[in-house]
Structures are given as C-alpha cells and as structure tokens.
Amino acid sequence: IAELGSQSTDWFDVLFRNTVSTSHHLSVSGGTDKLTYYVSGGYSWNNGVVVKTSSQSANFSAKIDTRPAKWIKFGVSTDFSYQKALAPSNNVNMFKYAYFANPYEKLYNEDGSYRADQTYFTLSKSNGNQSTPVPPNGFNIMREINETSSDATSSMFSILGNATINIVKGLTFTGLASFTYNGDMSENINGK
C-alpha cells in the first residue's frame, strides 16, 4: 500500500501531447476568352494528440477549358489525393484508458521492463463483467503503443474530359469521358 501511495501517474500526460500541424495550399487561375485554367495543390501534416500518431495528406487539381472556335469547346480536369495515417494498433481506447486507469499504476519495473497493469482489465472482471483476454505477461499501455502499429493509406486519381460541338444550328454533340482510380490499404500489426 505504501508503494502504491507513493506513485501518481498522470495518464493524460503520458498518452497525449500538444501538437503542431501544418497546412500549405496554393492555387493559380487565369485565362482569356478562349482559354481558362485553374491549378491548385496542397499538403498537410498533422501530429496526432495521441503519442506516436500522425497523418499527412496531399492533393492536386487542375482544370483547363478552351473554346478554339465558336462551334467547339472542350475541357479537361484532373484530381489527385493521397492520405496516410500512422498510429498504434487500436486495441484500446486511449481516452477511456487515460480516464479510468489508476494513477498508482507504473509503466515500468525497476529493471526498465514493462510493468503489467494490475487493475484496468481485472477490475471489470471483479465487477462481474466479461473478461478481456490479457497477455500472459499482463497488459501495459506503453507496450501497446510501442510494439503495435496501424498504417492506413488511401489515394484517388481521376481525369475527366468533355467536348461540345455545334454541328449545325439545332444539332449539338456533347461528349464526356472519365476515369477514376481509388486505392485503400491498411495494415494492423500486433505482436505476440
């Protein structure tokens, strides 16, 4: 009891951090009565509030519309986006853990090894709730953060072309062609 009373862990301080995020965007547009264009791009980096989490994204858009003659106009537009998020595996809700974990628990043993949490999962069992499987060497939130990972990547590319041709008065051809690619990949790694 004396050992427990001497320990006070601020779990919000351990699991969360103040962060800095950056966002950069640039766009250019212009043209004449026969040609207009618009180009934009952006990049964002976000260090998450939970330790060892981050995300980044990039996007690009371009559009050109032209009318080389009175009877014809056409345009092309393209969009690209990329997003990547890194985090520990989502086995435990960090906010819930920080709120309910006992402050007298320690993260590490005297030898520097991970110390098993003696209360977070065992108290629910004591209160008659369904038991959560716990590793044989016990549960430690920092081991979960340091030795698991979740990696999610998504990307999108699209291109669209359109044309309008006035063949004769009262007869117009309008055409549209498009292609879109979406890619999503996620990987969740948990050690033994």
Side-chain angles (χ1 to χ4, degrees):
I1 291 175
E3 181 191 356
L4 296 176
S6 68
Q7 175 65 34
S8 181
T9 302
D10 181 345
W11 291 106
F12 282 96
D13 188 48
V14 169
L15 300 176
F16 300 98
R17 62 186 174 182
N18 293 325
T19 67
V20 174
S21 299
T22 61
S23 236
H24 308 280
H25 299 279
L26 177 67
S27 64
V28 178
S29 62
T32 65
D33 57 342
K34 294 194 178 221
L35 175 84
T36 60
Y37 63 90
Y38 173 81
V39 178
S40 72
Y43 176 78
S44 296
W45 172 264
N46 179 17
N47 281 316
V49 294
V50 176
V51 295
K52 294 202 174 180
T53 62
S54 65
S55 65
Q56 61 181 323
S57 64
N59 59 61
F60 173 80
S61 287
K63 183 175 182 179
I64 297 174
D65 289 305
T66 184
R67 183 182 279 274
K70 277 184 154 186
W71 56 275
I72 185 170
K73 67 178 180 178
F74 59 89
V76 176
S77 64
T78 185
D79 291 297
F80 169 77
S81 67
Y82 172 84
Q83 298 165 338
K84 184 173 185 78
L86 302 171
S89 180
N90 293 321
N91 293 327
V92 175
N93 181 321
M94 298 294 179
F95 293 96
K96 187 177 175 184
Y97 187 89
Y99 187 78
F100 287 109
N102 286 310
Y104 56 77
E105 294 283 2
K106 290 183 181 180
L107 286 170
Y108 304 101
N109 294 313
E110 299 302 323
D111 64 359
S113 61
Y114 295 114
R115 182 172 179 155
D117 182 309
Q118 299 298 316
T119 55
Y120 184 73
F121 287 115
T122 56
L123 284 178
S124 62
K125 186 177 180 184
S126 301
N127 292 325
N129 294 330
Q130 189 75 5
S131 178
T132 302
V134 176
N137 55 350
F139 175 82
N140 181 285
I141 192 73
M142 289 312 291
R143 183 175 54 226
E144 292 293 309
I145 290 171
N146 292 331
E147 297 181 13
T148 69
S149 67
S150 174
D151 182 345
T153 304
S154 65
S155 58
M156 186 279 296
F157 170 75
S158 71
I159 187 164
L160 180 107
N162 62 69
T164 302
I165 302 170
N166 295 322
I167 300 170
V168 292
K169 188 173 182 176
L171 180 61
T172 302
F173 167 81
T174 301
L176 175 70
S178 68
F179 170 80
T180 301
Y181 167 81
N182 286 298
D184 290 303
M185 196 221 31
S186 63
E187 186 174 59
N188 200 50
I189 298 173
N190 293 288
K192 220 167 173 182

